[in-house]
Amino acid sequence: MNNNPSVLEINLSAVAHNLNFFRDRLSDSTKILAVVKASGYGTEAVSLAKTLSKQNVDYFAVAYVDEGIALREAGIKIPILVLHPQINNLSLIVQYQLEPNLYSKKILASFLEISKKSNLTSYPIHIKFNTGLNRLGFKKSDLDFLFDTLYKVKNIEIKSIFSHLVASEDPNERKFSLNQIQTFNDIGSAFKSLFGFKPMMHMTNTSGVLNYPEAHFDMVRLGLGLYGFANDPVTTSELKNVISLKSIVSQIHRVGKNESVGYNMGHTASKELSTATIPLGHADGFYRSLGQGKVFVSVNGQKAPIIGNVCMDMIMVDVTDIPCEEGDEVIIFDSQQEILEIANQANTISYEILTAFSQRIKRVVY
Ligand SMILES: *Cc1c(COP(=O)(O)O)cnc(C)c1O
Protein backbone atom coordinates (compact mmCIF):
# COMPACT_ATOMS: atom_id res chain seq x y z
CA MET A 1 0.00 0.00 0.00
CA ASN A 2 1.21 3.45 -0.92
CA ASN A 3 -0.15 6.28 1.21
CA ASN A 4 1.73 9.02 -0.54
CA PRO A 5 -0.88 11.32 -2.10
CA SER A 6 1.56 12.62 -4.71
CA VAL A 7 0.97 10.82 -8.00
CA LEU A 8 2.44 10.92 -11.47
CA GLU A 9 -0.34 10.50 -13.99
CA ILE A 10 0.70 8.96 -17.29
CA ASN A 11 -1.51 9.67 -20.29
CA LEU A 12 -1.14 6.74 -22.68
CA SER A 13 -3.33 8.17 -25.41
CA ALA A 14 -0.96 11.16 -25.50
CA VAL A 15 1.91 8.70 -26.08
CA ALA A 16 0.02 7.18 -29.01
CA HIS A 17 -0.63 10.67 -30.41
CA ASN A 18 3.06 11.55 -30.12
CA LEU A 19 4.12 8.32 -31.79
CA ASN A 20 1.85 9.07 -34.73
CA PHE A 21 3.14 12.62 -34.95
CA PHE A 22 6.60 11.19 -35.63
CA ARG A 23 5.30 8.35 -37.80
CA ASP A 24 3.80 10.98 -40.11
CA ARG A 25 7.27 12.41 -40.59
CA LEU A 26 8.86 9.11 -41.61
CA SER A 27 8.74 7.26 -44.88
CA ASP A 28 6.54 4.15 -44.81
CA SER A 29 9.52 1.83 -44.89
CA THR A 30 11.27 3.40 -41.88
CA LYS A 31 10.84 1.30 -38.77
CA ILE A 32 10.26 2.74 -35.31
CA LEU A 33 12.13 1.68 -32.21
CA ALA A 34 10.59 3.05 -29.00
CA VAL A 35 13.09 3.76 -26.24
CA VAL A 36 11.54 2.74 -22.91
CA LYS A 37 14.67 2.64 -20.75
CA ALA A 38 14.67 3.95 -17.18
CA SER A 39 11.05 2.82 -16.59
CA GLY A 40 9.94 4.58 -19.73
CA TYR A 41 11.67 7.86 -18.85
CA GLY A 42 10.26 7.71 -15.34
CA THR A 43 6.72 6.72 -16.34
CA GLU A 44 5.78 3.04 -16.21
CA ALA A 45 7.47 0.87 -18.79
CA VAL A 46 5.05 -2.06 -18.96
CA SER A 47 1.84 -0.09 -19.61
CA LEU A 48 3.75 2.11 -21.97
CA ALA A 49 5.18 -0.84 -23.90
CA LYS A 50 1.74 -2.46 -24.13
CA THR A 51 0.30 0.73 -25.60
CA LEU A 52 3.17 1.09 -28.05
CA SER A 53 2.93 -2.60 -29.06
CA LYS A 54 -0.71 -2.04 -29.96
CA GLN A 55 0.43 0.92 -32.04
CA ASN A 56 2.73 -1.45 -33.96
CA VAL A 57 6.14 -0.09 -33.10
CA ASP A 58 8.79 -2.41 -34.51
CA TYR A 59 11.27 -2.54 -31.68
CA PHE A 60 11.83 -1.55 -28.08
CA ALA A 61 15.10 -0.48 -26.51
CA VAL A 62 16.05 -0.60 -22.85
CA ALA A 63 19.37 0.24 -21.25
CA TYR A 64 19.84 -2.84 -19.07
CA VAL A 65 18.94 -6.48 -19.13
CA ASP A 66 16.57 -6.39 -16.15
CA GLU A 67 14.51 -3.70 -17.88
CA GLY A 68 14.11 -6.04 -20.85
CA ILE A 69 13.24 -9.00 -18.62
CA ALA A 70 10.44 -6.96 -16.99
CA LEU A 71 8.92 -6.34 -20.42
CA ARG A 72 9.18 -10.02 -21.43
CA GLU A 73 7.62 -11.10 -18.14
CA ALA A 74 4.74 -8.73 -18.82
CA GLY A 75 4.13 -10.52 -22.12
CA ILE A 76 5.74 -8.08 -24.54
CA LYS A 77 6.56 -10.08 -27.68
CA ILE A 78 8.25 -7.68 -30.07
CA PRO A 79 12.06 -7.45 -30.34
CA ILE A 80 13.86 -5.71 -27.49
CA LEU A 81 17.31 -4.22 -28.01
CA VAL A 82 19.40 -3.98 -24.84
CA LEU A 83 21.58 -0.93 -25.35
CA HIS A 84 24.09 -1.49 -22.58
CA PRO A 85 24.31 -5.14 -21.57
CA GLN A 86 27.05 -6.31 -19.23
CA ILE A 87 29.14 -9.43 -19.59
CA ASN A 88 27.77 -11.06 -16.44
CA ASN A 89 24.18 -11.10 -17.68
CA LEU A 90 24.54 -12.21 -21.27
CA SER A 91 22.97 -15.61 -20.61
CA LEU A 92 19.82 -13.88 -19.35
CA ILE A 93 19.73 -12.07 -22.68
CA VAL A 94 19.39 -15.40 -24.44
CA GLN A 95 17.02 -16.85 -21.84
CA TYR A 96 14.60 -13.94 -22.35
CA GLN A 97 15.09 -13.57 -26.10
CA LEU A 98 16.54 -10.08 -25.79
CA GLU A 99 18.83 -8.67 -28.46
CA PRO A 100 22.20 -7.39 -27.26
CA ASN A 101 24.08 -4.37 -28.44
CA LEU A 102 27.62 -5.72 -28.69
CA TYR A 103 29.73 -2.62 -28.39
CA SER A 104 33.24 -3.84 -27.57
CA LYS A 105 35.61 -6.65 -28.46
CA LYS A 106 35.27 -8.03 -24.98
CA ILE A 107 31.49 -8.25 -24.86
CA LEU A 108 31.38 -9.52 -28.43
CA ALA A 109 33.77 -12.36 -27.57
CA SER A 110 31.74 -13.24 -24.48
CA PHE A 111 28.51 -13.36 -26.41
CA LEU A 112 30.04 -15.46 -29.19
CA GLU A 113 31.22 -17.94 -26.60
CA ILE A 114 27.72 -18.21 -25.12
CA SER A 115 26.16 -18.49 -28.56
CA LYS A 116 28.44 -21.43 -29.39
CA LYS A 117 27.96 -23.18 -26.05
CA SER A 118 24.20 -22.84 -26.35
CA ASN A 119 24.20 -23.90 -30.00
CA LEU A 120 22.28 -20.82 -31.03
CA THR A 121 21.54 -20.31 -34.68
CA SER A 122 21.25 -16.86 -36.24
CA TYR A 123 20.70 -15.19 -32.86
CA PRO A 124 19.95 -11.49 -33.48
CA ILE A 125 22.69 -9.12 -32.34
CA HIS A 126 23.35 -5.44 -32.95
CA ILE A 127 26.72 -3.77 -33.42
CA LYS A 128 27.25 -0.21 -32.30
CA PHE A 129 29.68 2.14 -34.01
CA ASN A 130 31.23 5.13 -32.33
CA THR A 131 31.13 8.06 -34.75
CA GLY A 132 32.05 10.79 -32.26
CA LEU A 133 30.25 10.36 -28.96
CA ASN A 134 33.11 8.29 -27.54
CA ARG A 135 30.77 6.45 -25.22
CA LEU A 136 30.12 2.94 -26.57
CA GLY A 137 30.95 1.23 -29.83
CA PHE A 138 33.45 0.08 -32.39
CA LYS A 139 35.35 2.38 -34.71
CA LYS A 140 35.15 2.25 -38.48
CA SER A 141 38.70 0.91 -38.38
CA ASP A 142 37.43 -2.17 -36.49
CA LEU A 143 35.45 -3.36 -39.54
CA ASP A 144 38.17 -5.79 -40.62
CA PHE A 145 38.32 -7.22 -37.13
CA LEU A 146 34.52 -7.59 -37.11
CA PHE A 147 34.59 -9.29 -40.49
CA ASP A 148 37.27 -11.76 -39.38
CA THR A 149 35.41 -12.43 -36.14
CA LEU A 150 31.86 -12.70 -37.43
CA TYR A 151 31.74 -13.52 -41.10
CA LYS A 152 31.57 -17.29 -40.84
CA VAL A 153 29.78 -17.48 -37.50
CA LYS A 154 26.38 -19.13 -37.90
CA ASN A 155 25.38 -18.75 -34.26
CA ILE A 156 24.54 -15.10 -34.65
CA GLU A 157 22.93 -12.78 -37.17
CA ILE A 158 23.84 -9.11 -37.34
CA LYS A 159 20.38 -7.60 -37.29
CA SER A 160 21.52 -4.00 -37.25
CA ILE A 161 24.46 -1.67 -37.11
CA PHE A 162 23.87 1.63 -35.40
CA SER A 163 25.39 4.82 -34.10
CA HIS A 164 24.32 7.79 -32.00
CA LEU A 165 24.49 11.53 -32.66
CA VAL A 166 26.38 13.74 -30.23
CA ALA A 167 24.34 16.94 -30.51
CA SER A 168 21.33 16.24 -32.68
CA GLU A 169 19.28 18.98 -31.02
CA ASP A 170 21.91 21.69 -31.50
CA PRO A 171 21.86 23.61 -34.81
CA ASN A 172 25.28 25.07 -33.94
CA GLU A 173 26.75 21.58 -34.18
CA ARG A 174 25.18 20.82 -37.54
CA LYS A 175 28.54 20.36 -39.21
CA PHE A 176 29.61 17.83 -36.60
CA SER A 177 26.32 15.92 -36.96
CA LEU A 178 26.56 15.82 -40.76
CA ASN A 179 30.07 14.53 -40.42
CA GLN A 180 28.87 11.75 -38.11
CA ILE A 181 26.14 10.85 -40.61
CA GLN A 182 28.75 10.70 -43.40
CA THR A 183 30.98 8.46 -41.30
CA PHE A 184 28.06 6.16 -40.56
CA ASN A 185 27.15 6.01 -44.27
CA ASP A 186 30.78 5.07 -44.99
CA ILE A 187 30.61 2.35 -42.35
CA GLY A 188 27.45 1.01 -43.98
CA SER A 189 29.06 0.86 -47.42
CA ALA A 190 32.27 -0.67 -46.15
CA PHE A 191 30.25 -3.24 -44.17
CA LYS A 192 28.33 -4.18 -47.28
CA SER A 193 31.39 -4.63 -49.43
CA LEU A 194 33.05 -6.79 -46.77
CA PHE A 195 30.09 -8.90 -45.64
CA GLY A 196 28.09 -8.86 -48.87
CA PHE A 197 24.92 -7.65 -47.18
CA LYS A 198 23.72 -4.60 -45.31
CA PRO A 199 21.96 -5.07 -41.99
CA MET A 200 19.40 -2.54 -40.75
CA MET A 201 21.01 0.82 -40.01
CA HIS A 202 19.80 3.34 -37.44
CA MET A 203 21.19 6.52 -35.97
CA THR A 204 18.65 9.14 -34.93
CA ASN A 205 17.05 9.88 -31.58
CA THR A 206 14.06 12.22 -31.31
CA SER A 207 15.81 15.44 -32.26
CA GLY A 208 17.79 13.62 -34.92
CA VAL A 209 14.52 12.47 -36.46
CA LEU A 210 13.35 16.07 -36.64
CA ASN A 211 16.60 17.73 -37.69
CA TYR A 212 18.24 15.11 -39.92
CA PRO A 213 15.75 13.36 -42.24
CA GLU A 214 18.77 12.21 -44.26
CA ALA A 215 19.78 10.08 -41.28
CA HIS A 216 16.55 8.16 -40.73
CA PHE A 217 18.09 5.10 -42.47
CA ASP A 218 16.03 1.92 -41.85
CA MET A 219 14.84 2.69 -38.33
CA VAL A 220 14.68 5.60 -35.88
CA ARG A 221 14.99 5.47 -32.10
CA LEU A 222 12.33 7.60 -30.44
CA GLY A 223 12.57 8.42 -26.77
CA LEU A 224 11.81 11.89 -25.47
CA GLY A 225 9.43 12.70 -28.33
CA LEU A 226 7.08 9.93 -27.26
CA TYR A 227 6.91 11.60 -23.86
CA GLY A 228 5.92 14.93 -25.42
CA PHE A 229 9.11 16.89 -26.08
CA ALA A 230 10.62 18.03 -29.36
CA ASN A 231 13.48 20.45 -30.09
CA ASP A 232 11.54 23.66 -30.16
CA PRO A 233 8.40 25.13 -28.59
CA VAL A 234 6.38 25.02 -31.82
CA THR A 235 6.94 21.32 -32.46
CA THR A 236 6.54 20.53 -28.77
CA SER A 237 3.15 22.25 -28.83
CA GLU A 238 2.05 19.77 -31.50
CA LEU A 239 2.86 16.92 -29.13
CA LYS A 240 0.63 16.02 -26.20
CA ASN A 241 1.73 16.13 -22.62
CA VAL A 242 2.16 12.64 -21.15
CA ILE A 243 3.21 13.24 -17.56
CA SER A 244 1.40 15.23 -14.85
CA LEU A 245 2.37 15.47 -11.20
CA LYS A 246 -0.42 16.01 -8.69
CA SER A 247 -0.66 16.18 -4.92
CA ILE A 248 -2.83 17.70 -2.20
CA VAL A 249 -2.72 20.37 0.50
CA SER A 250 -1.81 18.63 3.78
CA GLN A 251 -2.04 21.63 6.07
CA ILE A 252 -2.61 25.38 5.93
CA HIS A 253 -0.84 27.81 8.26
CA ARG A 254 -1.33 31.46 9.02
CA VAL A 255 2.17 32.91 9.32
CA GLY A 256 2.58 36.28 11.02
CA LYS A 257 4.73 39.13 9.75
CA ASN A 258 8.44 38.47 10.43
CA GLU A 259 7.84 34.78 11.16
CA SER A 260 9.81 32.32 9.05
CA VAL A 261 8.78 29.32 6.99
CA GLY A 262 10.75 26.11 6.66
CA TYR A 263 14.26 24.97 7.48
CA ASN A 264 16.89 27.59 8.19
CA MET A 265 14.31 30.37 7.98
CA GLY A 266 14.27 29.78 4.23
CA HIS A 267 11.57 32.40 3.91
CA THR A 268 10.71 35.28 6.24
CA ALA A 269 7.23 36.73 5.93
CA SER A 270 7.26 40.44 5.12
CA LYS A 271 3.51 40.47 5.77
CA GLU A 272 0.96 38.06 7.14
CA LEU A 273 0.78 34.94 4.93
CA SER A 274 -1.16 31.76 4.38
CA THR A 275 0.97 28.79 3.47
CA ALA A 276 -0.01 25.35 2.27
CA THR A 277 2.19 22.33 3.00
CA ILE A 278 2.37 19.76 0.19
CA PRO A 279 3.71 16.20 0.54
CA LEU A 280 6.44 16.35 -2.12
CA GLY A 281 10.14 16.83 -1.45
CA HIS A 282 13.64 16.24 -2.65
CA ALA A 283 13.43 12.56 -1.70
CA ASP A 284 10.70 12.32 -4.33
CA GLY A 285 13.00 13.79 -6.96
CA PHE A 286 11.71 17.32 -6.56
CA TYR A 287 15.05 19.08 -6.33
CA ARG A 288 15.99 21.40 -3.50
CA SER A 289 17.13 23.91 -6.10
CA LEU A 290 13.45 24.45 -7.03
CA GLY A 291 12.62 26.22 -3.76
CA GLN A 292 12.82 29.91 -2.90
CA GLY A 293 10.12 31.13 -5.27
CA LYS A 294 11.63 29.55 -8.38
CA VAL A 295 8.66 27.34 -9.20
CA PHE A 296 4.89 27.76 -8.97
CA VAL A 297 2.34 25.04 -8.37
CA SER A 298 -1.34 25.34 -9.12
CA VAL A 299 -3.87 25.35 -6.27
CA ASN A 300 -7.51 25.59 -7.32
CA GLY A 301 -6.41 26.97 -10.66
CA GLN A 302 -4.18 29.71 -9.26
CA LYS A 303 -0.40 29.94 -9.19
CA ALA A 304 1.23 29.53 -5.79
CA PRO A 305 5.01 30.01 -5.48
CA ILE A 306 7.12 27.60 -3.45
CA ILE A 307 8.49 29.52 -0.51
CA GLY A 308 11.48 28.64 1.62
CA ASN A 309 13.54 25.54 1.05
CA VAL A 310 12.34 22.25 -0.38
CA CYS A 311 12.39 19.68 2.45
CA MET A 312 12.99 15.95 2.05
CA ASP A 313 9.27 15.16 2.08
CA MET A 314 7.47 18.49 1.76
CA ILE A 315 7.26 21.89 0.16
CA MET A 316 5.43 24.96 1.38
CA VAL A 317 3.66 27.31 -1.02
CA ASP A 318 2.19 30.76 -0.59
CA VAL A 319 -1.62 30.62 -0.80
CA THR A 320 -2.34 33.99 0.83
CA ASP A 321 -4.57 35.09 -2.04
CA ILE A 322 -5.90 31.67 -3.02
CA PRO A 323 -9.06 30.29 -1.45
CA CYS A 324 -8.20 26.70 -0.54
CA GLU A 325 -8.62 24.06 2.13
CA GLU A 326 -6.66 21.19 3.51
CA GLY A 327 -7.20 18.22 1.17
CA ASP A 328 -7.55 20.31 -1.99
CA GLU A 329 -5.79 19.08 -5.13
CA VAL A 330 -2.47 20.65 -6.12
CA ILE A 331 -1.11 20.38 -9.64
CA ILE A 332 2.66 20.58 -9.66
CA PHE A 333 2.74 20.38 -13.46
CA ASP A 334 0.49 19.16 -16.23
CA SER A 335 2.11 20.60 -19.35
CA GLN A 336 5.40 20.30 -21.17
CA GLN A 337 5.99 24.05 -20.66
CA GLU A 338 5.85 23.62 -16.89
CA ILE A 339 8.22 20.66 -16.99
CA LEU A 340 10.62 22.67 -19.15
CA GLU A 341 10.37 25.59 -16.72
CA ILE A 342 11.19 23.28 -13.81
CA ALA A 343 14.15 21.90 -15.75
CA ASN A 344 15.30 25.41 -16.54
CA GLN A 345 15.05 26.52 -12.90
CA ALA A 346 16.98 23.42 -11.80
CA ASN A 347 19.64 24.13 -14.43
CA THR A 348 19.05 20.86 -16.18
CA ILE A 349 17.17 19.24 -19.06
CA SER A 350 13.70 17.69 -19.25
CA TYR A 351 15.23 14.19 -19.45
CA GLU A 352 16.64 14.54 -15.94
CA ILE A 353 13.44 15.92 -14.42
CA LEU A 354 11.33 13.09 -15.87
CA THR A 355 13.64 10.32 -14.76
CA ALA A 356 14.32 11.75 -11.29
CA PHE A 357 10.93 11.07 -9.68
CA SER A 358 11.47 8.37 -7.11
CA GLN A 359 9.46 5.19 -6.75
CA ARG A 360 7.81 6.72 -3.68
CA ILE A 361 5.54 8.57 -6.09
CA LYS A 362 2.76 6.37 -7.35
CA ARG A 363 2.36 6.07 -11.13
CA VAL A 364 -1.24 6.12 -12.28
CA VAL A 365 -1.77 5.20 -15.89
CA TYR A 366 -4.85 6.17 -17.87
C1 LIG B 1 18.21 7.14 -24.89
C2 LIG B 1 18.62 6.84 -26.28
C3 LIG B 1 17.82 7.21 -27.37
C4 LIG B 1 16.58 8.06 -27.24
O1 LIG B 1 16.92 9.42 -27.27
P1 LIG B 1 15.82 10.58 -27.21
O2 LIG B 1 16.61 11.82 -27.33
O3 LIG B 1 15.15 10.46 -25.88
O4 LIG B 1 14.87 10.36 -28.34
C5 LIG B 1 18.21 6.79 -28.65
N1 LIG B 1 19.34 6.07 -28.82
C6 LIG B 1 20.15 5.73 -27.81
C7 LIG B 1 21.39 4.96 -28.08
C8 LIG B 1 19.83 6.11 -26.51
O5 LIG B 1 20.65 5.79 -25.49
Side-chain angles (χ1 to χ4, degrees), residues 35 37 41 83 128 135 164 205-206 221-224 351:
V35 182
K37 63 192 179 195
Y41 287 42
L83 292 167
K128 186 158 199 185
R135 191 171 72 171
H164 198 38
N205 67 332
T206 298
R221 302 190 301 268
L222 280 178
L224 197 67
Y351 295 84

